[in-house]
Every structure is written in structure tokens, then in C-alpha cells.
Amino acid sequence: MGTMNSLKLSTTTKLPKFTDRDALVIGVKPDSKGNPVAVIPTALESSDLAAVVAQLNLTALGASTSFESLTRYVTPSGVAIALLGLGKRELTVDDYRALAGAAVRQLGTFARVHFALDFAHQSALVASFEGAAVANYEFTLFKGDTKAKRVTSEISAITALKLPKVEAERILVLSQAVHQTRDLVNTPPNELYPAAVASAALKQAKDLPVKVTIWDEKKLQADSMVGILAVGSGSTRGPRLVKIEYAPKGAKKKLALVGKGITFDSGGLSLKPPTSMIGMKYDMTGAATVMQTVLAIAKLGLPIKVTSWLCLAENLPSGSATRPNDIIRYRNGKTVEITNTDAEGRLVLADGLISASAEHPDLIVDVATLTGAATVALGNRYAGLMGTGAAINAVKDAAAAAGELVWHMPLAPELKKNLEGETADLINAKLGNPAGGMLVGGLFLQEFVGTKKGSNDADDILEWAHLDIAGPANNDVAPYGYIGKGASGSYVRTLVALAESMI
């Protein structure tokens, strides 16, 4: 499982006593001729170790200056040195976050990793610790040899700069939230189903100032949560809606988070081909993200009210499964003909958006691995961002602060015709028409965002943002920065930054 708060973060002005469990990270940049040169920070300049490094023939060692590359060398005295490629450009805060993450991710066999980098400023130091802590993860729950766990217990920086205690605590809370998101998403679907997610929420919230409410099948039926019920009707493991509320005294602003939680998506009766089913345990990433976000905010004690709605179902085919052409009627009065049971995420999110809107928060953000079209349009590292103007700007700023990638996409009004139904108000997908699939998904969700308090204008909706994280939720290519293989845990830090910006 992911590392917890046992990780130690520290700064020092002196070299530690090295053992075979310690690694020292030193940056490498190209000189004017392109040859690798070690960048010795001020804190190390007068040390014997700096003299040893200065005499190394880095070209002969094969040390690379390419960004995030790592070349290992053990000195005659037995000190393990990791030569970290810094690239050619001047480093940004995001670069420091990625570099430190890349180093720790590749040095997990060492108990202690010490960074001897030239930290340009305080924010570079903080970002480095954050990237390192987030990267310090490996999912070993189902591995036979748990002793082979590759995580680090201590991360330090050799510098005159200090890591304030409040920053260290924030980094540990955020990294734990990212790791627990990854844990949930990486867990196989035979172990993690709607009721299991609900149980995990109760367990993790136990000692926190939050309230957890769970809707089982009977309560879902009583409260007309028709989308969640429709999607979950084909499985023997019933659907759930989980509400996690954090409401500190004196909080003036309210943030609502809605997460898609399809614990496994076979496509239902609109069955996916076998290769497309692999990885569908990741379809509950949105729910895991908003769950861990509200718990992290509670741990940090932020003075803002946050409510997370986890819309949970397992989408399977069976004799009781929802059929194409079935029509459901939502609590807001809108009817939907289900034309594609594999466009199920929007059906469960609609219930969550209606529920969140009823409380009239200042901002609603839904998070979902909603469409394959998002990956076609934006690749594997960007989330598609749609919604209202103020919400778009707030999420963009929060993502920039967290160093996570979002791209504003339009909710093109001409595409609304792709959702027009003949026998119902809406259809959930226009089969055979792939145009703007990500945008059509966003337009569908917009129909279920409530209006501002006191407004009679159906178009005067609450501030709302939709994050389609289908691409970045899971990394099935080469690791990079602080992102390893598998669940990324992305956008937890963005959502926490968003809550901080609203205070």
C-alpha cells in the first residue's frame, strides 16, 4: 500500500553519515559544449565529497543531462551518488517538483534520499519535497514478497533554506491523500465494489471531523437516485451513494465535489470488447479523488465547508441490467433515454449533481474518467476542463499552483442537438456520431446542475466545473516525474488548492 505519515522530511546544512541505505542526489547540466557537469550547491562546495564529484569524468560514466535521467555512481568510500539530469532550461517550480519525484521514484530501494541540489528559492525547496513525497509510493498489497517494497523512509535536503513545519505537514497530508487515492484505484474490482468503497470511506473518516452518509439500494430507491440505480442494476453487488461532509464552524464558503465511481465498467449490455475492458477498475477514480480530497481538507483544518458525493455502481450485463431504450426520470424532472449503457458515468453523476445543487454551494466540481474522447483529444497527461467562467478560472489557477495539467474545452451549444431525445427529454449518447464526444459528455452533465438560489432562469446555473480525467487518471506508459505506473492520484492536490483559494 502507499506510504503514510511515517515519512520524515528535513533540511540540514551538513552531509549525513552515509550507509549503504543512503543515496545523495546531485544535479547534472550540460556545459557550453554539451558535456555533463555536476552542479555543486553552496552547502556542499567545501566538502571532500564535492572534490570527489568534481574530479569524476561524467562523460566516461555515461551521465546524462537529459531532464529526469538518473545515473548511479558509488564513490571509493561507498557513498551512493545519484546524478540527476536537470536538462538545459532554467528550472521552474514545477520542474523541481518533477525532478525530485523522478529521483525518489527511481531510488526507492534506499531508505534515505538526500538532495544536494541548487534550490533557487524557498518555493523550489517546498515543491521538491512535495514531488518527492508524492512519488514515494508502490502498490504491494497483492504481491507475495512484501519485503521488496520500494519506498523511502526519509527525504532530506542539504541546504541553508528551511522547510517550515506547516509546509511539511501539508506535504505529508497531500501525499498521503494521493497515495490513498492510488490504493483505492489500484485495488482489483473483485475486492473493491460499491459497498467496499463506502466502508473505506467510513473507516478513513473515523477520527476526522466529517460526517459520512450512505445510500444503499433501498434508500437510493426512496430518494429516486435513478441514474445510480439504473447503472448498478445488472450487478449482484448493489450501488451506493456516499456523502462526506466537512463543515467547520465559521466557514463561509461551500465547495461541492462529485465523483464518478464505477468500480468496474464492462459496458453493461452495450458490452465493451475484451481489450477495452482491461483497466476498467480505474473507472472509479473520480470518486476516490473527491473522497480523499475532502478527508485531506479535514486533516488540514481548512475553514471551508466541503461536501463530496461518491456516485458508486458496478456496470455489468445480466437479466436485470438496464437495456438500451430504457427511460429513466430524474428528480429534477428530466427524462433520459439510455441509448448506450456504456455511457454510464454521466448517468450516475447526474444524481450527484442534482444532490449537490440542492445545497446551493458556491462552486461544484465533478471529477470523472468520463470519455475515451478526452484521451483522443488531449492525450494522457491533460484533463479536459469544462463549465462556467468563474469556475473554469478558479480550477485553472488551482491546477497551475499544484503543477497539474488541465485544458479548457468549450461546451459548444451546437452539439446539444446530439442529446435531443425523441421519446425522452435527452438521450445519453448519440450512437454513430463521435463528434466532440468529450464536449457532449459535459453538455449532458450541465443539464443536471441546478440554478442559483432565487433564480427562475434555467440557464442561470450554479458555478460548476467538469474535469474529464480519462487520460491522466491511469499511467500505462513509462513513468515520469512523480507519476509511476498505474493510478496517478492526480487532481487531489488541485482540488485542495482550489479549496484553499476559496477561503
Side-chain angles (χ1 to χ4, degrees):
M1 302 290 278
T3 53
M4 298 304 165
N5 285 358
S6 57
L7 178 65
K8 182 181 178 183
L9 307 177
S10 64
T11 58
T12 179
T13 56
K14 298 178 181 179
L15 279 172
K17 292 181 179 179
F18 288 98
T19 70
D20 60 1
R21 304 288 288 128
D22 292 76
L24 178 69
V25 180
I26 294 177
V28 179
K29 291 197 79 169
D31 63 14
S32 58
K33 296 180 180 180
N35 298 315
V37 177
V39 180
I40 306 297
T42 305
L44 275 192
E45 281 178 349
S46 60
S47 68
D48 293 339
L49 192 58
V52 172
V53 173
Q55 291 171 16
L56 291 177
N57 186 334
L58 298 186
T59 303
L61 274 175
S64 172
T65 62
S66 63
F67 191 73
E68 297 184 9
S69 64
L70 200 76
T71 308
R72 301 188 190 202
Y73 172 76
V74 180
T75 69
S77 61
V79 178
I81 295 177
L83 300 165
L84 179 64
L86 304 179
K88 297 179 181 179
R89 65 178 183 264
E90 187 173 337
L91 299 177
T92 65
V93 169
D94 289 342
D95 288 336
Y96 278 100
R97 193 185 282 111
L99 284 166
V104 166
R105 180 170 48 74
Q106 298 174 77
L107 295 170
T109 51
F110 290 91
R112 292 168 293 278
V113 176
H114 312 281
F115 285 93
L117 299 179
D118 187 13
F119 299 106
H121 36 69
Q122 184 71 26
S123 56
L125 177 71
V126 173
S128 297
F129 274 112
E130 185 179 7
V134 169
N136 191 39
Y137 174 86
E138 187 176 38
F139 187 70
T140 59
L141 185 61
F142 295 89
K143 295 275 186 136
D145 183 10
T146 55
K147 292 181 180 177
K149 191 174 180 180
R150 290 168 43 85
V151 290
T152 296
S153 58
E154 183 177 340
I155 297 167
S156 75
I158 303 167
T159 176
L161 297 170
K162 301 291 184 185
L163 179 67
K165 184 179 179 182
V166 65
E167 291 285 6
E169 290 174 348
R170 181 179 185 274
I171 288 167
L172 291 173
V173 168
L174 288 180
S175 59
Q176 182 183 33
V178 172
H179 294 169
Q180 289 182 320
T181 301
R182 290 171 175 170
D183 282 347
L184 287 167
V185 180
N186 281 328
T187 299
N190 59 317
E191 297 274 344
L192 194 78
Y193 42 92
V197 178
S199 295
L202 283 171
K203 183 178 179 181
Q204 293 184 24
K206 188 176 180 182
D207 297 321
L208 294 174
V210 298
K211 178 184 177 184
V212 179
T213 307
I214 298 170
W215 281 254
D216 60 11
E217 293 97 321
K218 287 185 179 179
K219 193 172 181 183
L220 288 168
Q221 194 76 49
D223 289 347
S224 299
M225 304 288 188
V226 294
I228 295 173
L229 285 166
V231 175
S233 63
S235 175
T236 57
R237 304 193 292 189
R240 295 289 186 273
L241 176 67
V242 178
K243 179 185 182 184
I244 308 173
E245 298 174 87
Y246 168 64
K249 287 184 179 178
K252 296 178 180 178
K253 291 293 183 76
K254 295 194 293 184
L255 171 65
L257 304 172
V258 182
K260 174 186 173 183
I262 306 300
T263 57
F264 185 77
D265 182 20
S266 71
L269 289 179
S270 305
L271 196 66
K272 294 178 185 289
T275 53
S276 299
M277 248 186 259
I278 300 297
M280 283 301 104
K281 66 177 183 178
Y282 294 113
D283 219 13
M284 42 66 67
T285 303
T289 301
V290 303
M291 170 181 163
Q292 295 304 328
T293 297
V294 67
L295 297 181
I297 288 168
K299 289 176 185 176
L300 292 170
L302 300 183
I304 179 173
K305 181 177 180 179
V306 183
T307 304
S308 285
W309 302 84
L310 284 58
C311 308
L312 303 161
E314 185 174 53
N315 189 25
L316 293 179
S318 75
S320 60
T322 292
R323 296 159 291 264
N325 291 139
D326 281 0
I327 293 177
I328 55 177
R329 185 183 299 275
Y330 282 92
R331 284 168 298 141
N332 67 352
K334 291 182 181 177
T335 57
V336 176
E337 180 184 2
I338 299 169
T339 52
N340 181 4
T341 64
D342 195 23
E344 82 300 326
R346 62 199 68 182
L347 298 175
V348 302
L349 286 171
D351 281 322
L353 287 169
I354 293 169
S355 300
S357 297
E359 299 185 351
H360 291 93
D362 296 288
L363 176 59
I364 301 174
V365 182
D366 75 76
V367 187
T369 49
L370 200 72
T371 65
T375 305
V376 173
L378 297 175
N380 297 311
R381 298 194 186 183
Y382 279 83
L385 171 62
M386 289 147 270
T388 58
I392 292 294
N393 291 331
V395 175
K396 281 173 68 175
D397 290 346
E404 296 185 310
L405 301 174
V406 300
W407 196 260
H408 180 201
M409 301 295 287
L411 289 172
E414 71 275 9
L415 292 176
K416 282 188 177 182
K417 66 179 183 295
N418 291 349
L419 293 170
E420 292 175 358
E422 291 186 11
T423 55
D425 298 324
L426 300 165
I427 56 175
N428 72 324
K430 185 78 170 179
L431 290 173
N433 187 347
M438 169 173 44
L439 316 183
V440 172
L443 286 166
F444 182 93
L445 295 177
Q446 188 178 39
E447 294 290 322
F448 297 90
V449 179
T451 55
K452 293 175 182 175
K453 187 175 283 187
S455 177
N456 294 318
D457 183 354
D459 293 325
D460 188 22
I461 64 171
L462 293 159
E463 292 296 340
W464 158 73
H466 163 54
L467 272 176
D468 192 332
I469 62 169
N474 169 45
N475 180 37
D476 58 4
V477 292
Y480 60 94
Y482 45 81
I483 305 295
K485 294 274 281 186
S488 68
S490 297
Y491 305 102
V492 170
R493 294 182 303 109
T494 289
L495 293 175
V496 173
L498 177 64
E500 291 170 331
S501 74
M502 293 174 65
I503 297 169

